[in-house]
Amino acid sequence: MALFETIAIAFWAMLPAYVPNNAAVLAGGGRPIDGGRTWGDRRVLGDGKTWRGTAMGTVAGLALAAALTYIAPDAGDVLGFAVPEFTPLAALGLAGGAMLGDILASFLKRRSGRQRGAMFPGLDQLDFVVVSLPLTALLATDWFRAWFSLEVILVVVVLTPILHATTNVIAYKLGLKNEPW
Ligand code: CTP
Ligand code: MG
């Protein structure tokens, strides 16, 4: 597979997992998922993980997957190679997994004594990949096998931290996020 094709497929396939975190930043707020509860002397998740942000993030990822599925045949014609159409379960695995990974990361941050907004290099960049890929493989096994070749997964692991860093710096400069990570 040509490198450009691999990168395009990796990016396209991961878009429903990339968008939820950004949508949560825009739509977040309100009641925290952990309801303010603590474990030991620390919050379970913290005020940065809210019901509204999680729901809106997941919905945004699902909506994007539907839109991409709609335009996939035309995009494939233009590009000269097929790009993924998302099954509902694949979309749910990617979008829901991204939100779940982010929540899990906050849990680990709080357990390790990091305050809300603290940096956790590595985890911040890949938390959503670590959960969304296995969850998608579980929920939509055939779809996952068809699109996520080893090369595509490798590109995702390299591409994601770069995209993550770029979008977060932009969100920070626009005043949407409190920290640039
Ligand atoms: N957000 C939300 N619900 C989520 C994820 C994010 O409401 N499930 C919103 C919150 O307003 C949050 C912002 O998006 O403050 C930025 O997200 P993130 O950087 O993931 O959270 P932090 O505030 O940095 O908190 P943490 O240290 O727990 O990651
Ligand atoms: Mg943060």
Side-chain angles (χ1 to χ4, degrees):
M1 207 190 280
L3 184 61
F4 174 72
E5 186 175 338
T6 310
I7 293 173
I9 288 172
F11 181 66
W12 184 285
M14 285 304 286
L15 268 175
Y18 289 149
V19 160
N21 284 290
N22 298 300
V25 174
L26 296 176
R31 192 175 150 74
I33 294 172
D34 67 8
R37 274 182 283 274
T38 53
W39 185 10
D41 53 1
R42 294 167 198 154
R43 285 287 291 276
V44 179
L45 300 174
D47 286 330
K49 303 297 116 135
T50 67
W51 288 109
R52 194 171 79 212
T54 308
M56 297 302 278
T58 307
V59 167
L62 293 175
L64 184 69
L68 289 172
T69 299
Y70 184 72
I71 62 167
D74 286 335
D77 282 346
V78 172
L79 290 166
F81 52 85
V83 288
E85 297 179 32
F86 299 90
T87 65
L89 281 178
L92 189 66
L94 290 164
M99 288 280 82
L100 217 57
D102 182 52
I103 290 168
L104 201 65
S106 288
F107 176 77
L108 294 176
K109 286 185 191 177
R110 300 302 93 82
R111 284 308 95 200
S112 61
R114 289 173 171 81
Q115 299 296 321
R116 175 187 181 185
M119 192 167 40
F120 199 146
L123 195 65
D124 277 324
Q125 288 74 30
L126 285 170
D127 53 13
F128 49 104
V129 176
V130 169
V131 177
S132 64
L133 291 194
L135 188 64
T136 307
L138 199 72
L139 291 178
T141 309
D142 292 339
W143 183 89
F144 186 84
R145 285 231 185 99
W147 291 107
F148 282 89
S149 61
L150 193 59
E151 297 111 84
V152 168
I153 293 175
L154 277 174
V155 168
V156 167
V157 170
V158 175
L159 185 73
T160 302
I162 298 170
L163 283 171
H164 188 270
T166 315
T167 53
N168 281 331
V169 167
I170 293 170
Y172 172 71
K173 296 235 178 203
L174 290 174
L176 298 171
K177 260 180 82 77
N178 294 328
E179 311 87 19
W181 52 82

